Amino acid sequence: MTSGRRWEQVRRSGVYLLGSLVSGVATVLALPLLCILRLARFWANWHRERASRLLGAASASRPARRATGRRAWAGPVTVRTSRALLWLPVNAMTGVVFGMPALLCVGNVVLAVIATPLWWAFGLEDRPRLFVDVPVVGWATALTLGPLQIFLLTVLAYVGFPPMARAHARICLVVLSDSTEEQLAERVAVLTRTRADVLDAHGAELRRIERDLHDGTQARLVAIAMRLAVARQAFSDNPRDERLVEELLRDAHEGTEEAMTELRGVIRSVYPPILADRGLDGALTAVTTGCGVPTRLDVGDLDRVPPAVEAVVYFTVAETLTNVTKHSRATAAGVRVSRTADRLSVLVTDNGTGGADDRRGTGIAGIRRRVLALDGTVEVDSPAGGPTSITVELPCGW
């Protein structure tokens, strides 16, 4: 780990520990209020989010972050009421125990940096003290013990803050995370719900294909057959009337072209032929090139990807970029597809106005259904004013 990254980790850990101290004290002061079930769950969820973010940043691993339950399977997971209530006394104790050393360390550094050089401005009884109880009575003490205290406390923070913060975060997740049996039960419930949604969506898709074929392609083929029959009859009745026969054949030819176009559209909605012809990389290149917003594409080494996963990735990127073009007012977008072990990740970003929401008919609900059908996850980060990022993770180790 580079020095810069280590110091950033120390900074994040210090902020986390001080925040834990504040939340622990707040829990003690507001314990009766927090015993209200909804507030208790909200408080517990907030702490689990903090712990998940800290451990996720420390490991720099998305699968580890996912294992914490931040947005497992279908979306945000709510802490169970019993665990939320259990977390209240645990948080009150651990927040103070882990946060107080950080406060003392940071406070003494601030004291040494600010107060020690100005020791002469204080009264005799109020002068700052270093190393717990060494009064600053002259410049020799201020210029030697002050920097020494800053150095030692900085080393202590450098060495101690990250493991202390990780320990507190792990305690938080152990208390707030579901047991194996609870996770399995929730998993079964999610899979049951998503499979039912998939069956409904599959039935609707079959009905749409049947309707498109019946009302579109089949109707055109019937019209073509009728024109050819009329042309045949006209030729039989009057072989010299070439103009009528030519006109009927021209109409039949145009109808054939239109029927073929509609049929290709139906086939493309089932499984895009471009995936079979050019592969996932080529298909995504075609989608991003044809997007109305300048889009940067970054595709890593994906190795072999199952066809079902390729189709979901293709439709996800295509639908998301369509939303970007229609709704976001963005001037730039990006698509990144990567693979880590048996997980394939898709990240689509734009610098538009944000506000993407499943309930507003922006196509995200359809994307979520496709992804959940393959036991994947969808994360949407789209605050008002932007930017927007949609992250999809799919298993591809079959």
Side-chain angles (χ1 to χ4, degrees), residues 1-30:
M1 180 182 295
T2 63
S3 177
R5 290 184 59 190
R6 175 65 180 186
W7 280 113
E8 173 62 18
Q9 190 178 75
V10 171
R11 185 194 67 80
R12 290 174 58 90
S13 300
V15 172
Y16 177 87
L17 291 171
L18 294 176
S20 299
L21 174 61
V22 173
S23 70
V25 174
T27 300
V28 174
L29 297 177

PDB file of all heavy atoms in Angstrom, residues 1-30:
ATOM      1  N   MET A   1       0.847  -1.196   0.000  1.00  0.00           N
ATOM      2  CA  MET A   1       0.000   0.000   0.000  1.00  0.00           C
ATOM      3  C   MET A   1       0.885   1.250   0.000  1.00  0.00           C
ATOM      4  O   MET A   1       1.818   1.343   0.791  1.00  0.00           O
ATOM      5  CB  MET A   1      -0.919   0.011   1.224  1.00  0.00           C
ATOM      6  CG  MET A   1      -1.824   1.239   1.292  1.00  0.00           C
ATOM      7  SD  MET A   1      -2.851   1.269   2.773  1.00  0.00           S
ATOM      8  CE  MET A   1      -3.892  -0.166   2.502  1.00  0.00           C
ATOM      9  N   THR A   2       0.597   2.191  -0.868  1.00  0.00           N
ATOM     10  CA  THR A   2       1.376   3.417  -0.932  1.00  0.00           C
ATOM     11  C   THR A   2       1.098   4.283   0.284  1.00  0.00           C
ATOM     12  O   THR A   2       0.087   4.131   0.977  1.00  0.00           O
ATOM     13  CB  THR A   2       1.038   4.197  -2.210  1.00  0.00           C
ATOM     14  OG1 THR A   2      -0.335   4.585  -2.159  1.00  0.00           O
ATOM     15  CG2 THR A   2       1.278   3.351  -3.455  1.00  0.00           C
ATOM     16  N   SER A   3       2.043   5.221   0.524  1.00  0.00           N
ATOM     17  CA  SER A   3       1.897   6.095   1.685  1.00  0.00           C
ATOM     18  C   SER A   3       0.635   6.947   1.594  1.00  0.00           C
ATOM     19  O   SER A   3      -0.069   7.148   2.585  1.00  0.00           O
ATOM     20  CB  SER A   3       3.136   6.986   1.792  1.00  0.00           C
ATOM     21  OG  SER A   3       3.007   7.895   2.854  1.00  0.00           O
ATOM     22  N   GLY A   4       0.342   7.454   0.375  1.00  0.00           N
ATOM     23  CA  GLY A   4      -0.855   8.281   0.211  1.00  0.00           C
ATOM     24  C   GLY A   4      -2.126   7.530   0.533  1.00  0.00           C
ATOM     25  O   GLY A   4      -3.018   8.054   1.216  1.00  0.00           O
ATOM     26  N   ARG A   5      -2.212   6.291   0.049  1.00  0.00           N
ATOM     27  CA  ARG A   5      -3.405   5.485   0.326  1.00  0.00           C
ATOM     28  C   ARG A   5      -3.500   5.149   1.813  1.00  0.00           C
ATOM     29  O   ARG A   5      -4.590   5.095   2.378  1.00  0.00           O
ATOM     30  CB  ARG A   5      -3.376   4.206  -0.501  1.00  0.00           C
ATOM     31  CG  ARG A   5      -3.580   4.420  -1.996  1.00  0.00           C
ATOM     32  CD  ARG A   5      -3.637   3.118  -2.738  1.00  0.00           C
ATOM     33  NE  ARG A   5      -4.716   2.274  -2.253  1.00  0.00           N
ATOM     34  CZ  ARG A   5      -4.883   0.999  -2.603  1.00  0.00           C
ATOM     35  NH1 ARG A   5      -4.038   0.437  -3.440  1.00  0.00           N
ATOM     36  NH2 ARG A   5      -5.896   0.301  -2.113  1.00  0.00           N
ATOM     37  N   ARG A   6      -2.357   4.915   2.438  1.00  0.00           N
ATOM     38  CA  ARG A   6      -2.380   4.600   3.871  1.00  0.00           C
ATOM     39  C   ARG A   6      -2.884   5.788   4.672  1.00  0.00           C
ATOM     40  O   ARG A   6      -3.708   5.635   5.585  1.00  0.00           O
ATOM     41  CB  ARG A   6      -0.967   4.213   4.333  1.00  0.00           C
ATOM     42  CG  ARG A   6      -0.843   3.967   5.839  1.00  0.00           C
ATOM     43  CD  ARG A   6      -1.655   2.760   6.271  1.00  0.00           C
ATOM     44  NE  ARG A   6      -1.527   2.535   7.708  1.00  0.00           N
ATOM     45  CZ  ARG A   6      -2.045   1.487   8.343  1.00  0.00           C
ATOM     46  NH1 ARG A   6      -2.730   0.569   7.672  1.00  0.00           N
ATOM     47  NH2 ARG A   6      -1.893   1.361   9.647  1.00  0.00           N
ATOM     48  N   TRP A   7      -2.404   6.998   4.341  1.00  0.00           N
ATOM     49  CA  TRP A   7      -2.865   8.172   5.074  1.00  0.00           C
ATOM     50  C   TRP A   7      -4.349   8.436   4.834  1.00  0.00           C
ATOM     51  O   TRP A   7      -5.064   8.886   5.737  1.00  0.00           O
ATOM     52  CB  TRP A   7      -2.038   9.394   4.692  1.00  0.00           C
ATOM     53  CG  TRP A   7      -0.720   9.462   5.397  1.00  0.00           C
ATOM     54  CD1 TRP A   7       0.513   9.350   4.844  1.00  0.00           C
ATOM     55  CD2 TRP A   7      -0.514   9.630   6.805  1.00  0.00           C
ATOM     56  NE1 TRP A   7       1.489   9.436   5.805  1.00  0.00           N
ATOM     57  CE2 TRP A   7       0.888   9.617   7.017  1.00  0.00           C
ATOM     58  CE3 TRP A   7      -1.354   9.794   7.899  1.00  0.00           C
ATOM     59  CZ2 TRP A   7       1.450   9.765   8.281  1.00  0.00           C
ATOM     60  CZ3 TRP A   7      -0.803   9.933   9.163  1.00  0.00           C
ATOM     61  CH2 TRP A   7       0.575   9.925   9.353  1.00  0.00           C
ATOM     62  N   GLU A   8      -4.806   8.153   3.621  1.00  0.00           N
ATOM     63  CA  GLU A   8      -6.239   8.305   3.359  1.00  0.00           C
ATOM     64  C   GLU A   8      -7.033   7.313   4.198  1.00  0.00           C
ATOM     65  O   GLU A   8      -8.112   7.628   4.727  1.00  0.00           O
ATOM     66  CB  GLU A   8      -6.508   8.082   1.868  1.00  0.00           C
ATOM     67  CG  GLU A   8      -7.983   8.051   1.476  1.00  0.00           C
ATOM     68  CD  GLU A   8      -8.718   9.350   1.765  1.00  0.00           C
ATOM     69  OE1 GLU A   8      -8.040  10.388   1.942  1.00  0.00           O
ATOM     70  OE2 GLU A   8      -9.960   9.329   1.825  1.00  0.00           O
ATOM     71  N   GLN A   9      -6.501   6.097   4.351  1.00  0.00           N
ATOM     72  CA  GLN A   9      -7.163   5.104   5.200  1.00  0.00           C
ATOM     73  C   GLN A   9      -7.177   5.550   6.655  1.00  0.00           C
ATOM     74  O   GLN A   9      -8.173   5.369   7.371  1.00  0.00           O
ATOM     75  CB  GLN A   9      -6.440   3.763   5.059  1.00  0.00           C
ATOM     76  CG  GLN A   9      -7.174   2.596   5.699  1.00  0.00           C
ATOM     77  CD  GLN A   9      -6.423   1.299   5.486  1.00  0.00           C
ATOM     78  OE1 GLN A   9      -5.402   1.058   6.130  1.00  0.00           O
ATOM     79  NE2 GLN A   9      -6.918   0.460   4.592  1.00  0.00           N
ATOM     80  N   VAL A  10      -6.056   6.154   7.109  1.00  0.00           N
ATOM     81  CA  VAL A  10      -6.002   6.664   8.484  1.00  0.00           C
ATOM     82  C   VAL A  10      -7.035   7.769   8.675  1.00  0.00           C
ATOM     83  O   VAL A  10      -7.737   7.816   9.699  1.00  0.00           O
ATOM     84  CB  VAL A  10      -4.580   7.178   8.798  1.00  0.00           C
ATOM     85  CG1 VAL A  10      -4.556   7.905  10.144  1.00  0.00           C
ATOM     86  CG2 VAL A  10      -3.586   6.020   8.805  1.00  0.00           C
ATOM     87  N   ARG A  11      -7.132   8.652   7.688  1.00  0.00           N
ATOM     88  CA  ARG A  11      -8.114   9.745   7.785  1.00  0.00           C
ATOM     89  C   ARG A  11      -9.530   9.195   7.856  1.00  0.00           C
ATOM     90  O   ARG A  11     -10.326   9.612   8.715  1.00  0.00           O
ATOM     91  CB  ARG A  11      -7.974  10.680   6.591  1.00  0.00           C
ATOM     92  CG  ARG A  11      -8.878  11.915   6.659  1.00  0.00           C
ATOM     93  CD  ARG A  11      -8.942  12.618   5.324  1.00  0.00           C
ATOM     94  NE  ARG A  11      -9.620  11.800   4.330  1.00  0.00           N
ATOM     95  CZ  ARG A  11     -10.942  11.681   4.214  1.00  0.00           C
ATOM     96  NH1 ARG A  11     -11.742  12.314   5.075  1.00  0.00           N
ATOM     97  NH2 ARG A  11     -11.469  10.931   3.282  1.00  0.00           N
ATOM     98  N   ARG A  12      -9.868   8.272   6.956  1.00  0.00           N
ATOM     99  CA  ARG A  12     -11.210   7.685   6.959  1.00  0.00           C
ATOM    100  C   ARG A  12     -11.495   6.961   8.264  1.00  0.00           C
ATOM    101  O   ARG A  12     -12.594   7.043   8.807  1.00  0.00           O
ATOM    102  CB  ARG A  12     -11.362   6.713   5.780  1.00  0.00           C
ATOM    103  CG  ARG A  12     -11.407   7.374   4.414  1.00  0.00           C
ATOM    104  CD  ARG A  12     -11.416   6.319   3.318  1.00  0.00           C
ATOM    105  NE  ARG A  12     -12.542   5.432   3.475  1.00  0.00           N
ATOM    106  CZ  ARG A  12     -13.738   5.614   2.932  1.00  0.00           C
ATOM    107  NH1 ARG A  12     -13.948   6.682   2.179  1.00  0.00           N
ATOM    108  NH2 ARG A  12     -14.711   4.755   3.107  1.00  0.00           N
ATOM    109  N   SER A  13     -10.491   6.250   8.778  1.00  0.00           N
ATOM    110  CA  SER A  13     -10.679   5.512  10.025  1.00  0.00           C
ATOM    111  C   SER A  13     -10.887   6.464  11.195  1.00  0.00           C
ATOM    112  O   SER A  13     -11.727   6.214  12.069  1.00  0.00           O
ATOM    113  CB  SER A  13      -9.466   4.610  10.282  1.00  0.00           C
ATOM    114  OG  SER A  13      -9.299   3.674   9.239  1.00  0.00           O
ATOM    115  N   GLY A  14     -10.120   7.566  11.211  1.00  0.00           N
ATOM    116  CA  GLY A  14     -10.299   8.546  12.289  1.00  0.00           C
ATOM    117  C   GLY A  14     -11.679   9.171  12.267  1.00  0.00           C
ATOM    118  O   GLY A  14     -12.327   9.317  13.321  1.00  0.00           O
ATOM    119  N   VAL A  15     -12.145   9.531  11.072  1.00  0.00           N
ATOM    120  CA  VAL A  15     -13.496  10.096  10.956  1.00  0.00           C
ATOM    121  C   VAL A  15     -14.532   9.074  11.395  1.00  0.00           C
ATOM    122  O   VAL A  15     -15.505   9.393  12.087  1.00  0.00           O
ATOM    123  CB  VAL A  15     -13.750  10.559   9.509  1.00  0.00           C
ATOM    124  CG1 VAL A  15     -15.208  10.969   9.314  1.00  0.00           C
ATOM    125  CG2 VAL A  15     -12.832  11.727   9.148  1.00  0.00           C
ATOM    126  N   TYR A  16     -14.319   7.816  11.018  1.00  0.00           N
ATOM    127  CA  TYR A  16     -15.259   6.757  11.403  1.00  0.00           C
ATOM    128  C   TYR A  16     -15.299   6.593  12.917  1.00  0.00           C
ATOM    129  O   TYR A  16     -16.376   6.483  13.522  1.00  0.00           O
ATOM    130  CB  TYR A  16     -14.854   5.452  10.733  1.00  0.00           C
ATOM    131  CG  TYR A  16     -15.720   4.275  11.117  1.00  0.00           C
ATOM    132  CD1 TYR A  16     -16.891   3.994  10.417  1.00  0.00           C
ATOM    133  CD2 TYR A  16     -15.388   3.445  12.191  1.00  0.00           C
ATOM    134  CE1 TYR A  16     -17.700   2.924  10.780  1.00  0.00           C
ATOM    135  CE2 TYR A  16     -16.177   2.377  12.549  1.00  0.00           C
ATOM    136  CZ  TYR A  16     -17.340   2.122  11.840  1.00  0.00           C
ATOM    137  OH  TYR A  16     -18.143   1.070  12.204  1.00  0.00           O
ATOM    138  N   LEU A  17     -14.135   6.574  13.567  1.00  0.00           N
ATOM    139  CA  LEU A  17     -14.092   6.381  15.023  1.00  0.00           C
ATOM    140  C   LEU A  17     -14.722   7.557  15.755  1.00  0.00           C
ATOM    141  O   LEU A  17     -15.464   7.365  16.732  1.00  0.00           O
ATOM    142  CB  LEU A  17     -12.642   6.185  15.467  1.00  0.00           C
ATOM    143  CG  LEU A  17     -11.987   4.871  15.031  1.00  0.00           C
ATOM    144  CD1 LEU A  17     -10.503   4.886  15.345  1.00  0.00           C
ATOM    145  CD2 LEU A  17     -12.665   3.675  15.680  1.00  0.00           C
ATOM    146  N   LEU A  18     -14.438   8.782  15.308  1.00  0.00           N
ATOM    147  CA  LEU A  18     -15.054   9.942  15.955  1.00  0.00           C
ATOM    148  C   LEU A  18     -16.568   9.933  15.741  1.00  0.00           C
ATOM    149  O   LEU A  18     -17.338  10.272  16.650  1.00  0.00           O
ATOM    150  CB  LEU A  18     -14.441  11.229  15.403  1.00  0.00           C
ATOM    151  CG  LEU A  18     -12.959  11.455  15.740  1.00  0.00           C
ATOM    152  CD1 LEU A  18     -12.442  12.705  15.056  1.00  0.00           C
ATOM    153  CD2 LEU A  18     -12.760  11.560  17.252  1.00  0.00           C
ATOM    154  N   GLY A  19     -16.999   9.537  14.549  1.00  0.00           N
ATOM    155  CA  GLY A  19     -18.435   9.414  14.314  1.00  0.00           C
ATOM    156  C   GLY A  19     -19.063   8.350  15.188  1.00  0.00           C
ATOM    157  O   GLY A  19     -20.195   8.503  15.670  1.00  0.00           O
ATOM    158  N   SER A  20     -18.332   7.259  15.428  1.00  0.00           N
ATOM    159  CA  SER A  20     -18.844   6.205  16.305  1.00  0.00           C
ATOM    160  C   SER A  20     -18.982   6.706  17.740  1.00  0.00           C
ATOM    161  O   SER A  20     -19.933   6.344  18.444  1.00  0.00           O
ATOM    162  CB  SER A  20     -17.909   4.993  16.261  1.00  0.00           C
ATOM    163  OG  SER A  20     -17.837   4.458  14.950  1.00  0.00           O
ATOM    164  N   LEU A  21     -18.023   7.542  18.160  1.00  0.00           N
ATOM    165  CA  LEU A  21     -18.116   8.119  19.507  1.00  0.00           C
ATOM    166  C   LEU A  21     -19.353   9.002  19.627  1.00  0.00           C
ATOM    167  O   LEU A  21     -20.116   8.898  20.603  1.00  0.00           O
ATOM    168  CB  LEU A  21     -16.859   8.933  19.805  1.00  0.00           C
ATOM    169  CG  LEU A  21     -16.858   9.710  21.124  1.00  0.00           C
ATOM    170  CD1 LEU A  21     -16.991   8.771  22.317  1.00  0.00           C
ATOM    171  CD2 LEU A  21     -15.604  10.569  21.233  1.00  0.00           C
ATOM    172  N   VAL A  22     -19.576   9.845  18.632  1.00  0.00           N
ATOM    173  CA  VAL A  22     -20.744  10.727  18.662  1.00  0.00           C
ATOM    174  C   VAL A  22     -22.030   9.904  18.652  1.00  0.00           C
ATOM    175  O   VAL A  22     -22.977  10.177  19.409  1.00  0.00           O
ATOM    176  CB  VAL A  22     -20.707  11.698  17.468  1.00  0.00           C
ATOM    177  CG1 VAL A  22     -21.993  12.507  17.396  1.00  0.00           C
ATOM    178  CG2 VAL A  22     -19.506  12.630  17.576  1.00  0.00           C
ATOM    179  N   SER A  23     -22.080   8.881  17.787  1.00  0.00           N
ATOM    180  CA  SER A  23     -23.306   8.069  17.715  1.00  0.00           C
ATOM    181  C   SER A  23     -23.513   7.272  18.994  1.00  0.00           C
ATOM    182  O   SER A  23     -24.650   7.049  19.421  1.00  0.00           O
ATOM    183  CB  SER A  23     -23.244   7.131  16.509  1.00  0.00           C
ATOM    184  OG  SER A  23     -22.280   6.107  16.711  1.00  0.00           O
ATOM    185  N   GLY A  24     -22.412   6.821  19.633  1.00  0.00           N
ATOM    186  CA  GLY A  24     -22.559   6.101  20.883  1.00  0.00           C
ATOM    187  C   GLY A  24     -23.122   6.983  21.988  1.00  0.00           C
ATOM    188  O   GLY A  24     -24.028   6.570  22.728  1.00  0.00           O
ATOM    189  N   VAL A  25     -22.612   8.204  22.078  1.00  0.00           N
ATOM    190  CA  VAL A  25     -23.145   9.140  23.071  1.00  0.00           C
ATOM    191  C   VAL A  25     -24.598   9.482  22.754  1.00  0.00           C
ATOM    192  O   VAL A  25     -25.459   9.559  23.644  1.00  0.00           O
ATOM    193  CB  VAL A  25     -22.274  10.407  23.121  1.00  0.00           C
ATOM    194  CG1 VAL A  25     -22.901  11.453  24.034  1.00  0.00           C
ATOM    195  CG2 VAL A  25     -20.864  10.062  23.586  1.00  0.00           C
ATOM    196  N   ALA A  26     -24.892   9.693  21.466  1.00  0.00           N
ATOM    197  CA  ALA A  26     -26.266  10.005  21.064  1.00  0.00           C
ATOM    198  C   ALA A  26     -27.207   8.857  21.388  1.00  0.00           C
ATOM    199  O   ALA A  26     -28.364   9.068  21.784  1.00  0.00           O
ATOM    200  CB  ALA A  26     -26.313  10.323  19.573  1.00  0.00           C
ATOM    201  N   THR A  27     -26.723   7.625  21.242  1.00  0.00           N
ATOM    202  CA  THR A  27     -27.551   6.463  21.578  1.00  0.00           C
ATOM    203  C   THR A  27     -27.888   6.453  23.060  1.00  0.00           C
ATOM    204  O   THR A  27     -29.024   6.163  23.447  1.00  0.00           O
ATOM    205  CB  THR A  27     -26.825   5.170  21.188  1.00  0.00           C
ATOM    206  OG1 THR A  27     -26.577   5.171  19.780  1.00  0.00           O
ATOM    207  CG2 THR A  27     -27.654   3.952  21.549  1.00  0.00           C
ATOM    208  N   VAL A  28     -26.897   6.761  23.895  1.00  0.00           N
ATOM    209  CA  VAL A  28     -27.153   6.799  25.339  1.00  0.00           C
ATOM    210  C   VAL A  28     -28.169   7.876  25.684  1.00  0.00           C
ATOM    211  O   VAL A  28     -29.109   7.660  26.460  1.00  0.00           O
ATOM    212  CB  VAL A  28     -25.834   7.042  26.102  1.00  0.00           C
ATOM    213  CG1 VAL A  28     -26.112   7.242  27.589  1.00  0.00           C
ATOM    214  CG2 VAL A  28     -24.882   5.866  25.894  1.00  0.00           C
ATOM    215  N   LEU A  29     -28.018   9.073  25.105  1.00  0.00           N
ATOM    216  CA  LEU A  29     -28.898  10.188  25.434  1.00  0.00           C
ATOM    217  C   LEU A  29     -30.315   9.992  24.891  1.00  0.00           C
ATOM    218  O   LEU A  29     -31.286  10.438  25.500  1.00  0.00           O
ATOM    219  CB  LEU A  29     -28.303  11.494  24.889  1.00  0.00           C
ATOM    220  CG  LEU A  29     -26.943  11.899  25.477  1.00  0.00           C
ATOM    221  CD1 LEU A  29     -26.432  13.165  24.803  1.00  0.00           C
ATOM    222  CD2 LEU A  29     -27.038  12.098  26.983  1.00  0.00           C
ATOM    223  N   ALA A  30     -30.410   9.344  23.721  1.00  0.00           N
ATOM    224  CA  ALA A  30     -31.726   9.224  23.076  1.00  0.00           C
ATOM    225  C   ALA A  30     -32.238   7.789  23.090  1.00  0.00           C
ATOM    226  O   ALA A  30     -33.044   7.416  22.241  1.00  0.00           O
ATOM    227  CB  ALA A  30     -31.640   9.732  21.627  1.00  0.00           C
TER     228      ALA A  30
END
